[in-house]
């Protein structure tokens, strides 16, 4: 059977390459990195992202996975991401797309209302940005929506909600397939 997460994993690989290129181009102007958790709030995920996160957790040794599940359960109701411990993500390699791009320059909106945003700790000495160092959030979200729709069309979970919390994704006994 085709791996239902293959398209998502390909998208993540492309986004990681894009983010890596932006970080190289902007160098020390980007301060965001693993361990920086100022922006890590409790978010919801598309079902494909939730399934990928759950699959990453299930791939860990059972004792480690259970430790993470307990931590997530204890922090599920907070405003901060339930995967944070000591300012670090417990599933950093499998973090959702928004977490991978957070803090980097993004452009969003339509027509004349396009805006650029980034972490205020980044780009403190920059007066302008090359277009290649800005992520088009609307295009990225369109790709993610398409990958999610394909995932849902091939999955065996017809009653899957539109968005899933991280706690819901990780505390299910069997992730959606």
């Amino acid at each position: 059977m085709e791996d239902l997460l293959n398209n998502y994993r390909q998208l993540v690989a492309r986004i990681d390459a894009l983010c890596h290129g932006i970080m190289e181009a902007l160098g020390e102007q980007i301060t965001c990195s693993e361990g920086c958790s100022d922006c890590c709030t409790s978010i919801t995920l598309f079902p494909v992202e939730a399934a990928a996160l759950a699959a990453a957790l299930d791939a860990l040794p059972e004792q480690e996975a259970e430790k993470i599940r307990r931590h997530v359960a204890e922090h599920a109701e907070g405003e901060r991401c339930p995967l944070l411990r000591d300012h670090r993500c417990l599933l950093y390699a499998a973090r959702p797309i928004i977490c991978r791009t957070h803090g980097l320059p993004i452009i969003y909106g339509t027509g004349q209302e396009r805006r650029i945003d980034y972490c205020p700790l980044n780009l403190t000495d920059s007066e302008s940005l090359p277009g290649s160092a800005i992520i088009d959030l609307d295009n990225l979200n369109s790709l993610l929506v398409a990958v999610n729709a394909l995932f849902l069309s091939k999955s065996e979970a017809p009653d899957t909600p539109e968005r899933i919390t991280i706690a819901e994704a990780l505390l299910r006994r069997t992730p959606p397939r």
Side-chain angles (χ1 to χ4, degrees):
M1 181 167 108
E2 176 190 2
D3 180 4
L4 293 178
L5 295 174
N6 189 43
N7 290 322
Y8 177 75
R9 290 183 178 128
Q10 288 180 29
L11 179 60
V12 166
R14 293 181 81 167
I15 290 168
D16 282 351
L18 173 66
C19 292
H20 179 75
I22 291 170
M23 292 177 83
E24 275 192 353
L26 298 178
E28 292 181 10
Q29 295 181 69
I30 301 295
T31 61
C32 295
S33 63
E34 183 179 1
C36 176
S37 67
D38 290 351
C39 301
C40 299
T41 60
S42 185
I43 61 171
T44 59
L45 310 170
F46 283 110
V48 69
E49 295 176 290
L53 201 59
L57 181 66
D58 290 342
L60 295 175
E62 186 56 34
Q63 187 176 16
E64 185 179 347
E66 276 307 311
K67 191 175 181 180
I68 291 173
R69 282 187 191 96
R70 281 192 304 275
H71 181 84
V72 167
E74 291 170 11
H75 297 88
E77 300 302 320
E79 290 182 25
R80 303 285 287 155
C81 178
L83 280 170
L84 278 180
R85 183 181 327 150
D86 299 325
H87 302 283
R88 297 202 179 277
C89 179
L90 296 171
L91 290 173
Y92 186 79
R95 68 198 182 284
I97 288 174
I98 188 78
C99 304
R100 293 168 187 276
T101 61
H102 214 67
L104 296 177
I106 58 169
I107 190 166
Y108 61 96
T110 57
Q112 298 294 331
E113 297 297 316
R114 306 267 297 164
R115 295 191 177 159
I116 294 178
D117 193 21
Y118 49 85
C119 174
L121 300 176
N122 293 334
L123 307 167
T124 56
D125 296 329
S126 184
E127 304 226 353
S128 67
L129 293 170
S132 61
I134 302 171
I135 298 169
D136 187 321
L137 189 61
D138 298 322
N139 286 343
L140 187 145
N141 285 337
S142 294
L143 289 171
L144 181 55
V145 166
V147 167
N148 184 64
L150 185 59
F151 169 80
L152 289 174
S153 74
K154 294 184 177 191
S155 74
E156 297 173 8
D159 296 330
T160 303
E162 263 185 57
R163 304 289 289 185
I164 301 168
T165 67
I166 289 173
E168 290 167 337
L170 298 180
L171 299 178
R172 291 179 179 178
R173 283 335 243 151
T174 54
R177 296 193 190 274

